[in-house]
Amino acid sequence: MPNNKKEKPAGPNRLQSVKGMHDVLPEQVAIFEKICKNAKDLLDFYNFQRITTPIVERLDLYARTTGETSDIVEKQMFTLKTRSSETFALRPEFTPGIARSYIQNNMDQLSPPVKLFSIGPLFRYEQPQAGRLRQFNQINAEIFSVENDPIYDAQIILAGYQILNDLKIKDIIISINSIGCKNCRPNYRKALINYYKSREKQLCEDCKRRLPTNPLRLLDCKSEQCQPFKERAPITVEYLCGPCKKHFKEVLDYLDHLKLPYMLNNFLVRGLDYYSKTVFEFITETSETEKKISFALGGGGRYDYLVDELGGKPTPAVGLALGIERIIEVLRHRNLIPTNRPKGKVFLVHIGELAKKQSLCLVELLRMAHIGVIESLGKESLAAQLRVADRVGSPLALIYGQKEAHEDSVLVRDMKTGAQETIPIAKLPEMIKKRLG
Ligand code: HAM
């Protein structure tokens, strides 16, 4: 996770993590885990089951699915060659590995729909910048079914929206489009190629190269010189066949019914080759300095041909992924990250050799009673230990000295009022629970 503290400049002898890959430090783990737990609980409610696929897959899996001409496969793969000259890749996204696993493990035999989710790290060789890392984490969910029912598009969009909503990110707009199916997309491709052909000389080098192979990607282009052409380019929805139009209309009807805020975006094509019909992104606005920028916290879409193309039975599917680091970035900007104070944990203060010796047993007693306890076992002075208790915000300090150790008791001090009371150890758990409510 990018660290807010200024990084020290890398000198020849400085140890540094690899560019674009960050440590998640202890103080950052709490929010990371909270996001994962919220997502797990919500996906569990919608009956998604967790699947963990390997971080390493065969390189050609991504070429066949994400697409030879996608940015990911063209420029962003971390690849490794084994001693026996096989080429593997660190996964840049979850979807191809999950589809591979679905086929390999005969999940088509399960009662449909098969709903799977994953959480974990991914790797893309990108130019690191705000919200763009080389190692990042996603919450990813997929629905494999036997029919391409638009209700699943709506359910996956709802799940992504609610995960963000539960984290108090309230201004999400669902940017949505349909890019058609195998029947209607060829006509749209032709129209796009015709349109761009006469403007080819004025396009950026990437667009020139992509025009014959993947013209839809031209709509994704961010380069200044291509923007005016993009605005007048033919739009997908005008080329959709009857079934695709119906499908898209039904998806939007579901979103209306759910009162989810969406915005039709004719230019949304997404950078991955496997999509068909519905594509969407979750957009929020964030301000870097004065300027407001739109930020995609996640995205996804339908991919009805992917399982078939990998050698499985034709299996319509739809999925989404949310970027955990991007979510954290937005929460941080909006001061929505709770401070990491241990709530309701008592603080154990030990004084003298005997108390120190017995303090680990006392901690165990509290653990068995499900009472959180913080200690500073290496510190000897009473004042130093009470200062720590104060700093971490413990409501009660358990002062365990020579006398108490001999008498099997503890002096319990209320950190707010300073009132103290001696309690026999046998009654300690009950008394603490009462005091902490
Ligand atoms: P994606 O749009 O490539 O889709 O990634 C989804 C989200 O992952 C992005 O919106 C962003 O939040 C986060 N993300 C992507 N790249 C980076 C990066 N370099 N650094 C930080 N965060 C990043 C997919 O990955 C598809 N597999 C989603 C999907 C699932 N489609 C169907 N099923």
Side-chain angles (χ1 to χ4, degrees), residues 20 66 72 76 92-96 98 122-127 129-143 156 270-272 274-275 280-282 295-303 317-327:
T66 313
I72 292 183
Q76 298 172 351
E93 54 153 338
F94 278 113
T95 312
I98 293 175
L122 301 137
F123 303 83
R124 295 185 191 175
Y125 190 81
E126 302 214 55
Q127 206 38 51
Q129 50 185 283
R132 210 169 276 286
L133 305 168
R134 290 184 176 175
Q135 179 177 337
F136 59 100
N137 290 270
Q138 280 183 350
I139 297 157
N140 183 93
E142 315 283 359
I143 303 179
I156 208 94
R270 310 255 308 132
L272 315 168
Y274 47 69
Y275 289 121
F280 58 86
E281 280 181 351
F282 298 102
F295 213 46
L297 292 185
R302 181 159 276 289
Y303 54 98
V318 61
L320 74 84
L322 300 172
I324 298 181
E325 286 76 5
R326 288 203 189 169
I327 295 175

Side-chain angles (χ1 to χ4, degrees), residues 150-167:
I151 197 160
Y152 294 131
D153 307 42
Q155 191 176 41
I156 208 94
I157 292 172
L158 174 66
Y161 183 84
Q162 295 298 35
I163 291 172
L164 298 170
N165 196 49
D166 282 0
L167 291 165

Side-chain angles (χ1 to χ4, degrees), residues 263-306:
M263 180 186 75
L264 298 179
N265 179 351
N266 295 325
F267 302 123
L268 184 69
V269 287
R270 310 255 308 132
L272 315 168
D273 277 8
Y274 47 69
Y275 289 121
S276 53
K277 295 198 170 107
T278 319
V279 287
F280 58 86
E281 280 181 351
F282 298 102
I283 306 293
T284 186
E285 282 206 328
T286 186
S287 44
E288 279 293 332
T289 60
E290 304 285 274
K291 216 173 98 197
K292 285 223 168 216
I293 50 168
S294 289
F295 213 46
L297 292 185
R302 181 159 276 289
Y303 54 98
D304 288 346
Y305 311 117
L306 179 64

